[in-house]
């Protein structure tokens, strides 16, 4: 079981939870999340994602990763305008953050949290 922030992933059972609530992911969504969370804190390039998730070295569509990433973010409740879990590092790739974005205070997170 891998746990980063409040996301837990069981790679063998192919199951995922956010804050203790199970999140149902499609096969490729799970594969994408698994690659990112296994390398939490590291930038994973789009080429690496295409190879590891889609088992290809060529781009079937430039939007494939973006579309699947959008679905994963939505299912995990990660705001794509201000992501806290999976961030895009422009020109380099994607990173599953090990903690909340730098400079973000606990009080600010609590104010934005749904009650």
């Amino acid at each position: 079981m891998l746990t980063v922030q409040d996301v837990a992933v069981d790679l063998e059972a192919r199951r995922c939870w956010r804050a203790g609530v199970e999140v149902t992911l499609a096969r490729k969504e799970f594969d994408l999340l698994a690659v990112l969370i296994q390398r939490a804190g590291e930038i994973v390039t789009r080429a690496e994602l295409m190879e590891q998730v889609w088992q290809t070295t060529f781009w079937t569509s430039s939007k494939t990763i973006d579309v699947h990433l959008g679905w994963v973010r939505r299912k995990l409740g990660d705001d794509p305008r201000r992501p806290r879990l999976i961030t895009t590092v422009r020109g380099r790739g994607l990173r599953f953050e090990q903690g909340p974005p730098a400079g973000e205070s606990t009080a600010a997170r609590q104010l934005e949290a749904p009650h």
Side-chain angles (χ1 to χ4, degrees):
M1 180 83 70
L2 294 171
T3 303
V4 180
Q5 294 196 53
D6 64 350
V7 177
V9 174
D10 183 333
L11 297 173
E12 287 186 30
R14 297 185 61 83
R15 295 173 71 187
C16 171
W17 296 264
R18 171 92 196 261
V21 177
E22 188 161 8
V23 177
T24 303
L25 298 173
R27 186 170 54 97
K28 290 296 183 191
E29 294 167 355
F30 183 88
D31 293 345
L32 177 60
L33 176 61
V35 169
L36 292 171
I37 203 166
Q38 286 179 88
R39 293 181 52 191
E42 297 178 34
I43 296 171
V44 182
T45 68
R46 289 174 176 271
E48 289 173 310
L49 290 170
M50 287 303 293
E51 185 175 322
Q52 293 176 33
V53 177
W54 284 272
Q55 289 78 46
T56 184
T57 56
F58 65 90
W59 293 79
T60 56
S61 167
S62 62
K63 294 291 181 187
T64 299
I65 294 171
D66 295 327
V67 168
H68 284 78
L69 177 62
W71 292 335
V72 170
R73 280 182 172 149
R74 185 172 47 250
K75 289 181 178 183
L76 292 176
D78 197 19
D79 182 352
R81 294 172 308 237
R82 293 176 52 204
R84 297 168 186 211
L85 298 174
I86 303 169
T87 57
T88 301
V89 181
R90 191 173 297 269
R92 301 210 34 220
L94 301 170
R95 177 175 50 222
F96 196 101
E97 298 294 341
Q98 292 181 312
E104 184 175 289
S105 70
T106 302
R109 284 193 310 276
Q110 288 174 343
L111 286 174
E112 294 174 0
H115 297 283

